[in-house]
DNA sequence: GAGTTTGAAACT
DNA sequence: CAGTTTCAAACTC
């Protein structure tokens, strides 16, 4: 596994180790090759569920199963090194850095892809384009990226730790970093190692990280080096930081707080907490313990505690799975988001091991029973108990795509963020390093939240002014009226055992958690095998079964033929609805629920979907208004009540406002701003076509969006798509696309994805698309 | 909170 | 592929 280089380096190194520089170099170079390998494996093995849209690249496709990828925090965290590496690699310029990073290691790319791809792109591009926006975007990006498996914020985190130590003592909860300075170098090493190594077994992936760590350690060993190291880190960090920045809003905050730390902070986790989290602290402590343990194990196992070369070997061995965890959690109370990617194997290992570390971090929230942690699934957000730290944000692409239910960020307990792409899930972790952490760490994500987040992210991008974090949160909270379910999906299954698509949790690719009222639930980590098997079966029957129900409309959906579809925003339900009695005006209608108009593919009767009728009356422009009126009339007849609500909400003139395509609402998909009852605001409808802006404005409160409604819309769209893409990808991966097909009768899914893939996606500014290209590089690898 | 309605999912 | 049944969410009271 290991690349020869590493080995070479490793051995000789022992002596050289002393020189920090040497170490770095060695570590860096060797790592690359290795990672690439790993990555490959990882993906394959991991079979990312579906990589995020971003991954549209072919390789991704494979993953259907991946959907349920599991992310374990643990391993990932180890990865931080990557970041560090990146950081190292990265020269000065952010952009450059990013690129470099990608170039560097495939693995790195993967990891960063999340970040870098999205982030980077955004970061690089956006910043240029949009200065202010940039900041905001970054965070979001992070989110998204984070979502992406790769994103490992951790690396940064690691770096951060170091820096933090130097810069922010207070903040740091994280022992490592802090320790370093404070404690003797040796200690630092140990800690570091632990951090990196923690659970090396489980996460073989760690390798690179470890290497770095080891290097770092060495450096630390020599006091001087340590500083140098720091310096390096800093240097690297900044660039990295940017990348990381993209990771999360936290980043911004961090920056504010500490320039150095900034990035470090794991966006995900961090969102803001600068050390505040008690949890984090606890987590840290526990983490330390875990680390120690892990170290011990590691040492015993490898017999080379600090020996870098050996570590490398080990790394190579372990690498099978690569997971990235952000170490952040350790650091400050900040939440860290960690993305974990685990190979199934790794995962299992983790599971086995997991217990150890996890306990440490286990945040209160996290403590979710095993269930939640499940790799494949995202936890429900919901329940995060009380802590709402800004919790990580979990993205559940599926969910997102699907329904977008609301998620509440708040709920997220952990700091971690989990993104679940159809194929894959990414989790950003919080403090929990270890497996448990992983397990536990899996932050319960509410799919909806995720979605929201994403969208928010998008929006944010658009609106620089808003702070990412705040926005998201608020919006999420506000937006999702549904929360009840949506917020975190909770099911109430009685007979399906939560192993059928009837179960929203299952359908969303998340494990059932406490909030669920299900009976005889098998959708729990404990029954992971069963869940996966069932999932496979279902997918075998319908590859798109777990794909988001709503496909973003950005792409012109020729399929539909409807104008509506063409509208940028036009998002459609993949299969279309079959409503008979609800006139597509109630949530019984999936189209409506998803905030999208009905399309040709719908077989509904008496369609009055506010977001767009099946007849194609998607309202656009003036027509929309007219139609709206007509609809209003109709609705009034049909459902006066609803109408009322709608009007109340927005309405005044639906038509007038900016035509936002319903898509936009797409987020809506996720969560429409429905009134608490869930009724879509009429305006929204209008918006759907035309006025959507209103919604946003309302929602976001920021007019900005509105103002540039179209562009923004596009952006949204794109963004959305991106997000969705993943799922699609998943489906698409291969099959999906194929799947997409549709039987006329039945449902078909529009193929969205063309969209996705299409790099050319809409002009939206979102670089995200661009990012996609990057992925390809990865794919090719393998 | 219980009961009803609805339409997707699953089954035949 | 169409029809039927099952299921759980959405909705109503």
């Amino acid at each position: 596994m290991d690349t020869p280089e590493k080995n070479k380096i490793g051995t000789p190194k022992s002596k050289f180790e002393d020189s920090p520089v040497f170490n770095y170099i060695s570590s860096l170079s060797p790592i690359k090759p290795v990672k690439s390998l790993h990555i490959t494996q990882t993906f394959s093995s991991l079979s990312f569920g579906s990589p995020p849209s971003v991954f549209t690249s072919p390789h991704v496709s494979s993953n259907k199963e991946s959907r349920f990828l599991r992310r374990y925090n643990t391993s990932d965290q180890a990865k931080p090194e990557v970041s560090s590496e990146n950081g190292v690699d990265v020269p000065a310029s952010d952009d450059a850095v990013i690129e470099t990073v990608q170039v560097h290691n495939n693995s790195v790319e993967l990891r960063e892809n999340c970040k870098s791809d999205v982030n980077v792109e955004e970061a690089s591009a956006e910043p240029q384009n949009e200065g202010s926006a940039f900041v905001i975007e970054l965070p979001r990006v992070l989110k998204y990226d984070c979502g992406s498996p790769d994103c490992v914020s951790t690396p940064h985190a690691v770096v951060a730790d170091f820096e933090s130590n130097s810069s922010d003592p207070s903040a740091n909860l994280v022992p490592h970093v802090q320790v370093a300075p404070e404690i003797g170098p040796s200690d630092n090493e140990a800690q570091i190692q632990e951090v990196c190594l923690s659970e090396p077994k489980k996460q073989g992936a760690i390798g690179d990280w470890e290497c770095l760590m080891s290097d770092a350690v060495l450096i630390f060993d020599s006091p001087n080096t340590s500083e140098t190291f720091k310096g390096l880190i800093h240097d690297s960090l900044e660039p990295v930081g940017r990348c990381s920045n993209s990771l999360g809003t936290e980043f911004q905050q961090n920056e504010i707080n500490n320039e150095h730390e900034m990035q470090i902070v794991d966006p995900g986790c961090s969102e803001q907490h600068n050390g505040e989290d008690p949890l984090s602290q606890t987590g840290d402590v526990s983490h330390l313990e875990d680390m120690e343990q892990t170290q011990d194990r590691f040492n015993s196992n490898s017999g080379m505690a600090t020996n870098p070369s050996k570590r490398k070997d080990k790394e190579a061995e372990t690498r099978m799975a690569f997971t990235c965890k952000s170490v952040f959690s350790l650091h400050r109370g900040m939440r860290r988001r960690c993305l974990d990617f685990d190979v199934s194997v790794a995962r299992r290992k983790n599971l086995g091991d997991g217990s150890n570390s996890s306990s440490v971090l286990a945040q209160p929230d996290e403590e979710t029973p095993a269930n939640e942690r499940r790799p494949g699934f995202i936890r429900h957000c919901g329940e995060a108990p009380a802590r709402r730290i800004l919790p990580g944000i979990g993205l559940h692409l599926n969910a997102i795509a699907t329904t977008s239910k609301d998620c509440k960020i708040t709920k997220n307990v952990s700091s971690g963020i989990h993104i679940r792409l159809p194929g894959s899930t990414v989790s950003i972790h919080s403090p929990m390093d270890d497996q448990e952490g992983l397990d536990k760490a899996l932050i319960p994500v509410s799919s909806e939240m995720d979605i929201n987040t994403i969208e928010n992210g998008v929006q944010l991008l658009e609106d620089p002014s808003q702070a990412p974090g705040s926005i998201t949160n608020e919006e999420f909270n506000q937006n999702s009226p549904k929360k009840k379910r949506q917020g975190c999906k909770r099911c109430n299954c009685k007979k399906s055992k939560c192993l059928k698509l009837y179960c929203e949790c299952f359908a969303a690719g998340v494990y059932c958690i406490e909030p669920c009222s299900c009976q005889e639930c098998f959708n729990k980590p404990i029954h992971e095998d069963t869940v996966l098997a069932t999932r496979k079966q279902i997918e075998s029957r319908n590859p798109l079964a777990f794909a988001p129900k709503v496909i973003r409309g950005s792409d012109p959906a020729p399929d539909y033929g409807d104008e509506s579809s063409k509208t940028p925003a036009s998002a459609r339900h993949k299969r279309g609805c079959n409503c008979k009695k609800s006139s597509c005006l109630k949530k019984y209608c999936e189209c409506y629920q998803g905030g999208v108009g009905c399309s040709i593919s719908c077989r509904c009767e008496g369609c009055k979907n506010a977001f767009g009728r099946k007849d194609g009356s998607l309202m656009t422009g003036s027509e929309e208004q007219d139609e709206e009126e007509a609809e209003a009339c109709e609705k009034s007849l049909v459902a006066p009540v609803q109408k009322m609500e709608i009007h109340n909400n927005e309405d005044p003139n639906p038509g007038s406002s900016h035509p936002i395509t319903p898509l936009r609402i797409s987020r809506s998909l996720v969560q429409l701003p429905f009134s608490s009852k869930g009724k879509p605001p009429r305006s929204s409808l209008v918006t759907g076509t035309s006025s959507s802006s209103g919604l946003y404005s309302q929602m976001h409160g920021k007019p900005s969006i509105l103002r540039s409604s179209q562009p923004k819309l596009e952006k949204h769209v794109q963004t959305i798509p991106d997000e969705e893409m993943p799922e699609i990808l998943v489906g698409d991966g291969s099959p999906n696309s194929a799947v997409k097909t549709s039987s006329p009768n039945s449902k078909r899914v529009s193929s969205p994805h063309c969209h996705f893939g299409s790099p050319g996606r809409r002009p939206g500014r979102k670089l995200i698309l661009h990012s996609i290209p990057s992925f390809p590089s990865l794919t090719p690898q393998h």
Side-chain angles (χ1 to χ4, degrees):
Chain A
M1 295 298 291
D2 294 356
T3 59
E5 290 178 353
K6 275 189 174 182
N7 294 343
K8 291 177 181 180
I9 292 168
T11 29
K13 262 189 185 178
S14 57
K15 292 180 179 179
F16 294 89
E17 291 175 352
D18 292 349
S19 68
V21 173
F22 178 80
N23 291 337
Y24 269 96
I25 297 167
S26 65
S27 64
L28 294 175
S29 65
I31 293 167
K32 294 176 182 179
V34 171
K35 285 183 178 181
S36 62
L37 294 177
H38 288 293
I39 293 167
T40 314
Q41 290 175 342
T42 304
F43 283 97
S44 62
S45 63
L46 291 180
S47 65
F48 268 48
S50 41
S53 58
V54 173
F55 296 92
T56 54
S57 65
H59 67 288
V60 173
S61 63
S62 62
N63 319 334
K64 292 180 174 183
E65 292 177 352
S66 57
R67 240 183 149 202
F68 291 86
L69 290 185
R70 301 104 184 258
R71 356 133 167 94
Y72 290 93
N73 295 342
T74 33
S75 60
D76 291 354
Q77 290 183 346
K79 295 246 165 145
E81 29 174 76
V82 171
S83 61
S84 66
E85 288 179 355
N86 293 347
V88 170
D89 292 349
V90 176
S93 66
D94 295 350
D95 295 352
V97 171
I98 294 165
E99 291 176 356
T100 31
V101 171
Q102 290 175 342
V103 172
H104 261 334
N105 299 335
N106 292 344
S107 61
V108 170
E109 289 177 351
L110 292 179
R111 294 175 185 175
E112 290 184 351
N113 281 346
C114 308
K115 296 174 180 178
S116 64
D117 289 352
V118 175
N119 296 342
V120 169
E121 288 178 355
E122 288 180 353
S124 64
E126 288 181 354
Q128 293 172 346
N129 295 344
E130 299 174 355
S132 62
F134 172 73
V135 172
I136 294 168
E137 290 178 355
L138 290 179
R140 295 183 178 215
V141 171
L142 290 179
K143 292 175 182 178
Y144 297 101
D145 291 354
C146 293
S148 65
D150 293 354
C151 334
V152 172
S153 56
T154 50
H156 296 292
V158 170
V159 171
D161 290 346
F162 292 100
E163 286 183 354
S164 65
N165 289 340
S166 63
S167 65
D168 227 1
S170 64
N172 330 326
L173 296 182
V174 176
H176 335 340
V177 173
Q178 290 177 341
V179 171
E182 296 175 356
I183 297 169
S186 63
D187 292 350
N188 292 345
E189 287 181 354
Q191 290 176 342
I192 293 167
Q193 289 175 345
E194 287 177 354
V195 171
C196 298
L197 297 182
S198 62
E199 301 191 358
K201 295 174 183 177
K202 293 177 181 179
Q203 304 184 348
I206 296 165
D208 292 350
W209 165 245
E210 289 178 351
C211 294
L212 290 179
M213 294 303 296
S214 63
D215 290 348
V217 170
L218 292 176
I219 292 168
F220 284 105
D221 289 349
S222 64
N224 294 343
T225 57
S226 64
E227 289 181 353
T228 56
F229 176 76
K230 290 180 181 177
L232 292 176
I233 293 167
H234 283 291
D235 293 348
S236 64
L237 286 181
E238 289 186 354
V240 168
R242 296 204 173 209
C243 297
S244 62
N245 290 350
S246 59
L247 294 178
T249 56
E250 291 176 353
F251 166 27
Q252 291 176 341
Q253 292 177 341
N254 290 343
E255 284 182 345
I256 294 168
N257 295 342
N258 296 340
E259 292 176 353
H260 300 289
E261 292 176 353
M262 57 178 294
Q263 309 47 355
I264 297 168
V265 175
D266 235 60
C269 308
S270 54
E271 287 183 24
Q272 63 225 337
H273 313 305
N274 292 333
E276 299 174 354
D277 284 356
L279 292 178
S280 65
Q281 289 178 345
T282 55
D284 291 348
V285 172
S286 62
H287 179 70
L288 291 177
E289 293 175 353
D290 290 346
M291 291 179 64
E292 290 178 355
Q293 293 175 348
T294 55
Q295 237 185 341
D296 292 348
R297 286 185 291 178
F298 179 88
N299 293 344
S300 63
N301 292 343
S302 64
M304 48 190 168
T306 57
N307 186 334
S309 64
K310 289 179 181 179
R311 290 180 184 173
K312 289 179 181 177
D313 292 345
K314 255 190 164 186
E315 289 177 352
E317 291 176 353
T318 55
R319 286 200 182 179
M320 294 300 296
F322 89 172
T323 51
C324 305
K325 270 183 158 186
S326 61
V327 176
F328 307 86
S329 56
L330 297 182
H331 319 19
R332 327 169 155 201
M334 307 188 49
R335 334 177 142 220
R336 300 154 181 164
R337 294 175 185 177
C338 301
L339 296 182
D340 296 350
F341 297 93
D342 294 11
V343 175
S344 62
V345 172
R347 171 177 59 163
R348 290 187 177 183
K349 290 178 181 180
N350 291 342
L351 292 178
D353 292 354
S355 60
N356 300 348
S357 61
S358 60
S359 61
V360 172
L361 295 183
Q363 294 173 344
D365 297 344
E366 299 177 350
E367 99 156 6
T368 61
N371 312 337
E372 300 174 3
R373 39 180 77 315
R374 256 20 190 59
F377 297 81
I378 294 171
R379 287 179 181 176
H380 290 289
C381 39
E383 304 349 344
R387 28 173 105 175
R388 161 203 180 61
I389 303 179
L390 291 183
I393 296 168
L395 298 183
H396 191 329
L397 294 184
N398 290 344
I400 294 168
T402 350
T403 334
S404 77
K405 300 183 166 191
D406 329 16
C407 284
K408 295 178 178 178
I409 294 169
T410 58
K411 289 182 177 180
N412 291 337
V413 172
S414 51
S415 36
I417 294 171
H418 294 280
I419 295 170
R420 184 195 186 87
L421 295 185
S424 61
T425 51
V426 173
S427 63
I428 295 171
H429 245 335
S430 62
M432 329 235 340
D433 295 350
D434 298 2
Q435 307 158 330
E436 288 180 355
L438 290 181
D439 294 348
K440 294 178 179 180
L442 286 188
I443 296 165
V445 171
S446 61
S447 60
E448 292 176 356
M449 282 192 56
D450 295 348
I451 296 169
N452 289 342
T453 320
I454 293 167
E455 286 183 357
N456 289 345
V458 172
Q459 291 175 345
L460 290 178
L461 293 179
E462 292 175 353
D463 289 342
S465 65
Q466 294 179 342
S470 64
I471 293 168
T472 52
N473 292 345
E474 291 177 355
E475 285 183 358
F476 287 77
N477 294 341
Q478 293 175 345
N479 288 352
S480 56
K482 293 181 167 190
K483 294 185 176 149
K484 82 178 209 182
R485 274 175 112 276
Q486 303 171 345
C488 301
K489 286 184 163 202
R490 304 183 221 151
C491 66
N492 190 31
C493 305
K494 306 291 185 193
K495 298 179 179 179
S496 66
K497 297 181 180 178
C498 298
L499 291 177
K500 293 187 177 183
L501 293 175
Y502 293 125
C503 176
E504 290 189 358
C505 297
F506 179 80
V510 299
Y511 287 110
C512 292
I513 48 177
E514 293 177 357
C516 294
S517 301
C518 48
Q519 298 176 359
E520 298 182 3
C521 179
F522 278 77
N523 187 26
K524 294 183 178 180
I526 296 170
H527 300 100
E528 180 180 0
D529 294 342
T530 301
V531 172
L532 295 175
T534 301
R535 192 172 185 112
K536 285 184 179 180
Q537 287 183 339
I538 293 171
E539 286 183 337
S540 66
R541 287 183 295 186
N542 177 12
L544 295 180
F546 293 93
K549 292 180 180 177
V550 176
I551 297 169
R552 102 168 170 285
S554 63
D555 52 346
D559 297 350
Y560 298 90
D562 291 357
E563 289 177 355
S564 62
S565 65
K566 292 179 179 180
T567 60
S570 64
R572 300 291 175 194
H573 188 279
K574 69 181 178 182
R575 294 184 294 121
C577 65
N578 191 31
C579 304
K580 304 296 182 187
K581 297 179 180 179
S582 67
S583 299
C584 300
L585 290 174
K586 294 186 178 182
K587 285 189 174 180
Y588 294 124
C589 176
E590 292 190 353
C591 295
Y592 180 85
Q593 187 172 41
V596 299
C598 291
S599 64
I600 293 171
S601 60
C602 295
R603 288 158 308 214
C604 50
E605 295 178 359
C607 179
K608 294 177 183 179
N609 188 332
F611 296 97
R613 296 179 185 176
K614 164 186 178 182
D615 15 11
S617 56
L618 222 182
M619 338 188 137
T620 55
S622 62
E623 290 181 354
E624 290 177 353
Q625 292 177 343
D626 294 346
E627 292 203 355
E628 288 178 353
E629 291 177 355
E631 289 179 355
C633 296
E634 292 176 355
K635 290 179 180 178
S636 62
L637 296 177
V638 175
V641 172
Q642 291 179 343
K643 219 172 126 182
M644 298 281 297
E645 291 177 352
I646 293 167
H647 286 294
N648 290 341
N649 293 346
E650 302 188 98
D651 148 43
N653 336 322
S656 65
S657 56
H658 316 308
I660 290 175
T661 62
L663 291 187
R664 287 116 221 1
I665 298 175
S666 63
R667 147 191 218 3
S668 61
L669 293 182
V670 176
Q671 307 173 300
L672 294 182
F674 294 120
S675 59
S676 62
K677 290 179 179 181
K679 296 187 176 180
R682 185 168 257 342
S683 61
S684 66
L685 291 181
V686 172
T687 56
T689 25
S690 62
S691 66
S692 61
S693 63
L695 289 178
Y696 282 107
S697 62
Q698 290 177 342
M699 295 179 63
H700 297 287
K702 287 198 164 185
S704 63
I705 294 168
L706 294 178
R707 63 182 156 115
S708 59
S709 64
Q710 279 188 336
K712 289 180 179 180
L713 290 177
E714 288 178 352
K715 289 177 181 179
H716 266 324
V717 171
Q718 288 177 339
T719 56
I720 292 166
D722 289 347
E723 294 170 356
E724 289 177 355
M725 291 185 61
E727 290 180 353
I728 293 168
L729 290 179
V730 172
D732 268 357
S734 28
N736 291 350
S737 54
V739 171
K740 140 187 239 150
T741 70
S742 38
S743 52
N745 292 342
S746 334
K747 330 179 151 210
R748 64 265 49 318
V749 174
S750 53
S751 50
H753 273 275
C754 318
H755 332 337
F756 292 177
S758 64
R761 252 184 209 178
R762 280 202 176 213
R765 70 161 113 102
K766 260 358 220 12
L767 301 182
I768 295 167
L769 294 178
H770 296 292
S771 65
I772 292 168
S774 64
F775 283 35
S777 64
L778 295 179
T779 49
Q781 286 179 340
H782 212 6

